[in-house]
Amino acid sequence: MNRAQRYWDAVEVGAELEGFSLDITPRRLALQVSGSQDWYPVHFDAAFAQKAGHTDVFVNTGFLQAALVRVITDWMGDEGFLKRLRFEMRRQQRPGDTMVCKGKVTARYERDGEALVDLDVWAENEREGVTTPGTATVSLARRP
């Protein structure tokens, strides 16, 4: 995919990253479990998940990580480089939820000749609010 390039010189602190939303459906969960090969039953077997103390099945770590990375890479463009991502899975994304992933620029600075931007990124849903807060640092190209 050829994304529009984000240049460090044009980034403003406080700017929002566009983000996206996904409906969390039983089919999507089945596909993500199959694709990731994460066969831990809390991600596909409701009875097992409930016996383990959960309300229902829920998306796995890799799915959430990929969603947050998508927000960042869609925003930064092909010449950007994701240097660091940290996130916490505090609440769940379950069937029936619409997961919304967003971000915001929190800092813009130079270090050792690199043009860096810090971001807050997160996943949320209407049922729980923010479920997965995170932070990231990206290196961006400078305007030619």
Side-chain angles (χ1 to χ4, degrees):
M1 173 187 222
N2 194 5
R3 299 172 188 87
Q5 183 56 52
R6 179 88 43 196
Y7 292 104
W8 180 81
D9 316 75
V11 171
E12 294 184 22
V13 173
E16 294 184 9
L17 284 63
E18 184 175 337
F20 63 93
S21 64
L22 293 173
D23 291 332
I24 305 302
T25 63
R27 181 173 191 262
R28 187 177 300 279
L29 283 176
L31 290 171
Q32 72 104 80
V33 165
S34 175
S36 68
Q37 300 292 294
D38 182 349
W39 297 112
Y40 190 57
V42 297
H43 300 304
F44 63 88
D45 182 334
F48 182 91
Q50 290 166 359
K51 189 173 179 180
H54 304 287
T55 303
D56 200 352
V57 294
F58 52 94
V59 299
N60 68 10
T61 305
F63 187 89
L64 291 165
Q65 179 178 356
L68 295 177
V69 168
R70 178 180 161 191
V71 170
I72 297 163
T73 57
D74 283 357
W75 175 80
M76 72 184 187
D78 291 339
E79 292 182 42
F81 185 81
L82 175 56
K83 296 186 63 89
R84 183 186 60 81
L85 172 64
R86 179 187 172 281
F87 63 97
E88 299 174 2
M89 298 176 354
R90 294 184 181 172
R91 294 179 182 84
Q92 299 172 343
Q93 299 285 345
R94 300 192 305 243
D97 289 338
T98 297
M99 180 175 76
V100 179
C101 297
K102 299 179 180 182
K104 184 170 89 170
V105 176
T106 58
R108 178 180 163 271
Y109 55 97
E110 296 179 77
R111 180 179 297 146
D112 299 327
E114 257 189 302
L116 301 172
V117 177
D118 288 342
L119 307 169
D120 281 345
V121 291
W122 64 91
E124 61 185 46
N125 63 44
E126 287 185 9
R127 184 177 48 77
E128 296 277 16
V130 174
T131 63
T132 314
T135 58
T137 300
V138 299
S139 175
L140 292 179
R142 297 175 195 270
R143 261 191 216 285

